[in-house]
Amino acid sequence: MTAKQWFSWHSLSGVWFGLLLFVICWTGAFATISYELDWLFDDTVRAAESSPQVSLASAYEKVQETYPDARIGIAFAGSETYFAHDFVVRLPDNPWQHIYVDPYTGNIQGKTSFLNIQRFFRDFHMHFFGVFDSIVSYYLVLLFAIPLCVSTISALYLYRGWWKKLFTLKLSGDTRAKVASSHKLAGVWSLWLAVVIAITSMWYLFEFVRMDLADGKTAFTDVGDFAVNPLPELQPQDKPQLSVVALAAKVKEARPDLEIRAIRYSGGYFYVEGQSSDVLVRDRANKVYVDPYTGEVVYSQTASSQGIYWRLSDTADPLHFGNFA
């Protein structure tokens, strides 16, 4: 294509798609700091550091003891030392909500709506709250990866030698010339972000197309046919289950390298996920399934044991969310 054609593509991608791209990127920017916004505006989310620290498993048992009729969906360890443990819980005749436990005292600090700031911005960013049919809303956002890629690639072609112009800002000429120069300078400095977001967004679009039109697989290992490596559902037994603390200890015994970041029950199994020695992966890259009646580790997954495709899938989130640093 000629330079004029590249310029047309670059301009049209902004004119046709710029407003919605701005909304998507704006909500994504706030989604990256949404946990911190919850911490800022809601003191139940905060943890005042002291010692000793209460494990996520111990906090889980505290919530079970305090709310015996509650259904605990999943429990998350605080992402930083100043965050409380977060339990997504449903009480009888009530919607899902968050219950926070101080990781230093073990005290339950309070409850908040499930739709907190973090959930608001993430649902807005991912699928516009599902205002259309849910899958349509997801694709509406995902398809904007294409104009973002077009805009980024065409800009690279048009602005040759961009790396030499990191400090080039021309303030001479009319208003249009000044705005154009500012636009180019901002584009050069944000290029790394545009490339990362464009590539990971295209990856998400590919994953959704693959899931919907090809194999329907959403995980490497899980309980159900939607996993590449499906585990059989564990049937209830006529004997008591081990405590959550005891089961977490079994996990640590089998995987001393694993920092437990989340706990739940899945398909009858006691399930944990977290971080290990693998670099740049989301927590669910490392999974452990335990028989809650015997404490036997039924399956242990590491990020590197899934193969290259699922390893890349688990790397996309840290890159896209920006929580790699």
Side-chain angles (χ1 to χ4, degrees), residues 42 44 67 91 94 97-100 108-113:
D42 188 350
T44 61
Y67 302 99
L91 298 169
N94 282 281
Q97 56 193 296
H98 294 272
I99 292 177
Y100 295 98
I108 293 177
Q109 303 194 145
K111 297 178 288 187
T112 67
S113 166

Side-chain angles (χ1 to χ4, degrees), residues 154-200:
S154 58
L156 286 172
Y157 181 85
L158 289 168
Y159 205 40
R160 304 291 181 86
W162 56 266
W163 56 90
K164 301 175 184 177
K165 303 169 184 177
L166 286 167
F167 301 98
T168 300
L169 177 63
K170 297 179 181 178
L171 297 177
S172 58
D174 58 15
T175 301
R176 182 174 180 176
K178 293 175 184 177
V179 170
S181 182
S182 300
H183 177 77
K184 292 173 183 177
L185 184 65
V188 167
W189 278 95
S190 60
L191 181 62
W192 69 273
L193 177 64
V195 169
V196 170
I197 298 302
I199 291 174
T200 52

Side-chain angles (χ1 to χ4, degrees), residues 5-300:
Q5 288 172 317
W6 277 112
F7 183 78
S8 295
W9 278 107
H10 185 71
S11 300
L12 288 173
S13 65
V15 172
W16 289 349
F17 305 106
L19 181 59
L20 266 178
L21 255 179
F22 170 77
V23 172
I24 293 169
C25 293
W26 179 84
T27 55
F30 277 95
T32 63
I33 59 169
S34 56
Y35 285 109
E36 285 74 16
L37 290 174
D38 273 318
W39 183 95
L40 182 65
F41 292 107
D42 188 350
D43 56 7
T44 61
V45 178
R46 304 173 197 166
E49 294 186 45
S50 59
S51 60
Q53 188 168 5
V54 177
S55 71
L56 183 60
S58 298
Y60 196 110
E61 292 190 347
K62 177 72 173 181
V63 174
Q64 282 182 317
E65 178 185 338
T66 306
Y67 302 99
D69 297 327
R71 175 186 171 191
I72 302 176
I74 190 167
F76 297 103
S79 57
E80 300 290 345
T81 57
Y82 45 85
F83 280 98
H85 294 317
D86 180 5
F87 290 76
V88 180
V89 172
R90 187 165 191 175
L91 298 169
D93 302 321
N94 282 281
W96 288 99
Q97 56 193 296
H98 294 272
I99 292 177
Y100 295 98
V101 179
D102 190 294
Y104 299 96
T105 66
N107 294 332
I108 293 177
Q109 303 194 145
K111 297 178 288 187
T112 67
S113 166
F114 180 73
L115 187 64
N116 54 12
I117 296 175
Q118 186 269 339
R119 193 74 259 164
F120 174 88
F121 278 109
R122 186 156 189 187
D123 285 355
F124 192 172
H125 177 68
M126 288 195 302
H127 52 79
F128 297 134
F129 302 113
V131 291
F132 306 102
D133 177 78
S134 181
I135 193 66
V136 173
S137 295
Y138 274 107
Y139 274 111
L140 182 60
V141 173
L142 290 167
L143 285 171
F144 273 83
I146 297 172
L148 180 59
C149 284
V150 170
S151 181
T152 305
I153 293 169
S154 58
L156 286 172
Y157 181 85
L158 289 168
Y159 205 40
R160 304 291 181 86
W162 56 266
W163 56 90
K164 301 175 184 177
K165 303 169 184 177
L166 286 167
F167 301 98
T168 300
L169 177 63
K170 297 179 181 178
L171 297 177
S172 58
D174 58 15
T175 301
R176 182 174 180 176
K178 293 175 184 177
V179 170
S181 182
S182 300
H183 177 77
K184 292 173 183 177
L185 184 65
V188 167
W189 278 95
S190 60
L191 181 62
W192 69 273
L193 177 64
V195 169
V196 170
I197 298 302
I199 291 174
T200 52
S201 298
M202 287 297 293
W203 177 267
Y204 291 142
L205 176 60
F206 165 73
E207 283 198 310
F208 263 74
V209 172
R210 175 192 58 75
M211 287 187 292
D212 288 337
L213 302 181
D215 56 14
K217 304 299 183 183
T218 61
F220 180 73
T221 302
D222 215 318
V223 181
D225 293 336
F226 57 86
V228 175
N229 178 37
L231 297 178
E233 188 170 346
L234 192 64
Q235 299 303 315
Q237 300 179 25
D238 293 328
K239 59 181 180 180
Q241 296 184 358
L242 299 177
S243 70
V244 174
V245 170
L247 290 168
K250 292 289 185 181
V251 172
K252 291 298 291 182
E253 183 181 329
R255 290 281 303 275
D257 60 304
L258 183 65
E259 177 191 359
I260 297 175
R261 306 295 304 162
I263 290 175
R264 67 182 172 95
Y265 285 84
S266 175
Y269 298 96
F270 175 75
Y271 165 95
V272 306
E273 58 187 42
Q275 289 292 323
S276 184
S277 57
D278 294 288
V279 179
L280 208 62
V281 292
R282 57 189 171 190
D283 292 342
R284 66 176 179 263
N286 295 284
K287 299 178 176 180
V288 180
Y289 291 84
V290 181
D291 185 326
Y293 300 97
T294 65
E296 175 193 359
V297 174
V298 177
Y299 182 82
S300 177

